[in-house]
Amino acid sequence: MIRVISANTPFPPLKEALSEPNGLLAAGGDLSPERLISAYRQGIFPWFNQGEAILWWSPDPRMVLFPQELKISRSLHKTLKKNHYHIQTDSAFMRVMQACAAPREKQTGTWIHPEMIAAYTTLHHLGIAHSVETWIDGELAGGLYGVAIGKVFFGESMFSRVPDASKIALVYLAKQLESWHYGLIDCQMKTAHLMSMGARAIPRAEFSESLNQLTTQPEQNRKWQFDFSYPQQAEQP
C-alpha cells in the first residue's frame, strides 16, 4: 500500500516504493517548485494521468546515461555531419512540452497534461527546467526537456517530427553536459531508443548515492546556452 502525502508531508523512504508497479512510492502532495526540486534531489519524479491523484515514482533499477558513455551510430553520425539542422536551447520550452504531449502510435492519452506543463514552465522560468531543440528549415523538428539540479540532468520526455531529430538533441545535450562536468543524465525508464545511445540500468541505491554527491554541487539556474558544435570527424562505436 502506498503512502498518501499532503502538501507539507515529506516523501517516505525510497525503500517503501513498490516493486509492482515498479517504483510507485506515494500519492498526493502538489507540484510546487519546492516539492518538485525536493523530489528530484531524492530520485523521485511525478507521473500520473490528468484528473487523478499525483503519483510519485522511484523505480529500481534506474535508467541513466553517463554523458561520456554516449553512443553515436554510423547512421546518426552521418546525419549529424549533414549540418542541416540548428540547435537552440530554452527558446521554445512550452512548445517542446506540448509536442512531447502529442498523441503517439499505440498510446492513448498523455501524462504531460496542462497541470504538468504549468508546473514545469514555472521551473523553466526559475532557470531549473530546460529544453534542447532541433530546428530544421525554421521549424521545430524535435527536442527534449528536463530538470537540471547540481550536476544532474533529469530527462523528462523527447519527441521527433523528423527522423533522428530527438537523437540530435540528445547528442548535443550529452556532449555539452560532459563539457560542463555533469555526472549523469537520468532517463527514468528503460527504452530501446535510449539503450541504443548508451543508456543503462543501475541499482536505485547506486543512483541515490550519485544524487547525494552530484545534486549538492553549485546550481546554474539560468537560461542555457550551448557552445558545443558537432565535429566533422567523430569516434565510431
Side-chain angles (χ1 to χ4, degrees):
M1 185 174 183
I2 64 170
R3 185 89 62 88
V4 177
I5 60 176
S6 64
N8 298 317
T9 306
F11 289 108
L14 299 187
K15 64 182 180 181
E16 293 188 13
L18 301 181
S19 56
E20 183 58 42
N22 183 14
L24 182 56
L25 177 67
D30 58 41
L31 295 178
S32 66
E34 296 77 14
R35 170 68 75 175
L36 287 170
I37 293 169
S38 173
Y40 282 108
R41 286 185 181 278
Q42 297 175 68
I44 303 165
F45 59 87
W47 185 31
F48 64 103
N49 293 322
Q50 185 174 11
E52 297 180 355
I54 300 172
L55 299 178
W56 300 94
W57 303 76
S58 185
D60 188 12
R62 188 72 164 237
M63 198 71 174
V64 302
L65 172 62
F66 296 97
Q68 68 275 15
E69 295 183 3
L70 176 72
K71 293 181 180 178
I72 300 174
S73 67
R74 287 182 173 84
S75 61
L76 180 57
H77 173 60
K78 291 178 181 178
T79 299
L80 286 158
K81 286 185 64 179
K82 289 179 182 177
N83 199 29
H84 64 299
Y85 56 86
H86 177 60
I87 296 294
Q88 293 186 190
T89 53
D90 292 340
S91 70
F93 182 85
M94 187 176 292
R95 287 181 62 186
V96 169
M97 283 202 72
Q98 291 169 339
C100 289
R104 305 187 187 191
E105 187 178 357
K106 298 180 180 180
Q107 177 179 318
T108 57
T110 177
W111 56 272
I112 307 174
H113 41 75
E115 187 179 0
M116 292 284 276
I117 293 174
Y120 284 82
T121 300
T122 298
L123 288 183
H124 174 63
H125 292 323
L126 294 173
I128 298 169
H130 302 277
S131 61
V132 182
E133 309 134 20
T134 303
W135 296 80
I136 299 177
D137 296 330
E139 299 292 333
L140 182 60
L144 58 87
Y145 77 95
V147 173
I149 299 177
K151 293 298 183 182
V152 179
F153 182 77
F154 299 88
E156 278 297 314
S157 188
M158 56 202 311
F159 80 99
S160 283
R161 292 171 176 157
V162 174
D164 288 339
S166 65
K167 290 184 178 181
I168 292 171
L170 181 57
V171 167
Y172 273 72
L173 172 71
K175 292 295 187 181
Q176 185 66 62
L177 294 188
E178 184 177 7
S179 72
W180 285 345
H181 306 294
Y182 270 61
L184 61 83
I185 299 170
D186 174 30
C187 303
Q188 296 181 351
M189 301 293 191
K190 180 179 179 180
T191 69
H193 175 81
L194 292 168
M195 288 182 66
S196 71
M197 297 190 71
R200 56 188 172 92
I202 63 173
R204 183 170 58 210
E206 181 181 338
F207 179 70
S208 296
E209 184 177 346
S210 295
L211 294 188
N212 290 337
Q213 298 174 6
L214 295 169
T215 61
T216 57
Q217 298 188 33
E219 308 280 355
Q220 292 188 24
N221 292 357
R222 59 174 172 79
K223 184 177 180 180
W224 272 1
Q225 289 186 327
F226 283 5
D227 52 31
F228 172 79
S229 59
Y230 197 76
Q232 290 301 304
Q233 298 296 328
E235 292 184 2
Q236 296 300 306

